[in-house]
Amino acid sequence: MAIKKKGGIAVFGKKKTTRSVGGAHVTGLPVPESTFVQVILAPEGLTLTAVLQGAGKPVEQKFTLELDKVKNIRILNEAEVKQIIEQSAPGMLLGAAAFGVVGAMIGGRVKTKEQTVIKNLLVLDYVSGEEKQIVLDCTKDAPVNQAAFLKHFQELKPEAAQAPATIQL
């Protein structure tokens, strides 16, 4: 019998020990860009599962990363502003019908709209001989899930959540 609790599922008094988040691969893994990657955070470490699409069945490729090698995990927000240029064909026809050539020019004028797209990027900093980074676009994953993932990482590795006292330049 599972009892639902806020922040996870408690089963017989034990709290859920893993959290996961998924997103499109941006950089850092030897898989193609935009490949879906599921990241599972457990007390032992991270398991990253990339789902590769081939000619036949999807193939899973797993990567593991020990928790002591992980320096930090954070979510960064990236705002992308797109300008959409559109011309009004119905406005041009109505303007032409009402006022002739001048009406068509005014009714069919080019209009520019701005659309802002906000992306959430999951950044995994780790050490494997040298400092490396894995970046995933986890915009499609729920923000609540992302926050729970970060909170679970901070519980497992509290020293990563604290900023260094001195910064050497």
Side-chain angles (χ1 to χ4, degrees):
M1 179 171 108
I3 303 169
K4 288 201 178 225
K5 281 185 146 184
K6 191 174 184 182
I9 297 176
V11 181
F12 302 111
K14 293 183 181 178
K15 201 169 184 185
K16 188 175 179 182
T17 58
T18 62
R19 292 278 180 209
S20 66
V21 68
H25 175 252
V26 177
T27 186
L29 292 173
V31 296
E33 193 174 320
S34 299
T35 300
F36 179 78
V37 178
Q38 181 76 29
V39 183
I40 299 172
L41 175 62
E44 307 82 45
L46 291 165
T47 303
L48 295 94
T49 306
V51 181
L52 302 169
Q53 300 294 332
K57 270 196 224 175
V59 178
E60 290 186 353
Q61 187 173 359
K62 291 192 181 222
F63 304 93
T64 58
L65 190 58
E66 297 171 10
L67 199 59
D68 61 337
K69 290 185 178 183
V70 179
K71 289 181 67 177
N72 197 8
I73 298 176
R74 61 190 187 275
I75 301 278
L76 299 178
N77 297 326
E78 178 183 85
E80 184 179 317
V81 178
K82 292 182 181 179
Q83 286 193 340
I84 301 169
I85 299 172
E86 58 183 42
Q87 188 172 4
S88 175
M92 184 175 12
L93 293 174
L94 289 173
F99 302 105
V101 175
V102 176
M105 290 172 39
I106 293 171
R109 71 186 181 280
V110 175
K111 297 173 189 158
T112 304
K113 293 182 182 179
E114 284 189 1
Q115 181 181 23
T116 304
V117 178
I118 298 175
K119 291 184 178 182
N120 294 334
L121 300 175
L122 177 75
V123 181
L124 304 163
D125 296 319
Y126 68 99
V127 177
S128 178
E130 61 186 51
E131 289 189 15
K132 296 182 180 180
Q133 216 175 48
I134 297 171
V135 181
L136 303 176
D137 179 0
C138 59
T139 304
K140 293 182 181 177
D141 206 338
V144 173
N145 193 29
Q146 296 169 22
F149 185 85
L150 286 178
K151 184 179 176 187
H152 189 60
F153 173 72
Q154 291 167 353
E155 290 169 357
L156 292 173
K157 198 164 180 177
E159 66 272 10
Q162 299 172 355
T166 57
I167 299 173
Q168 186 160 351
L169 300 174

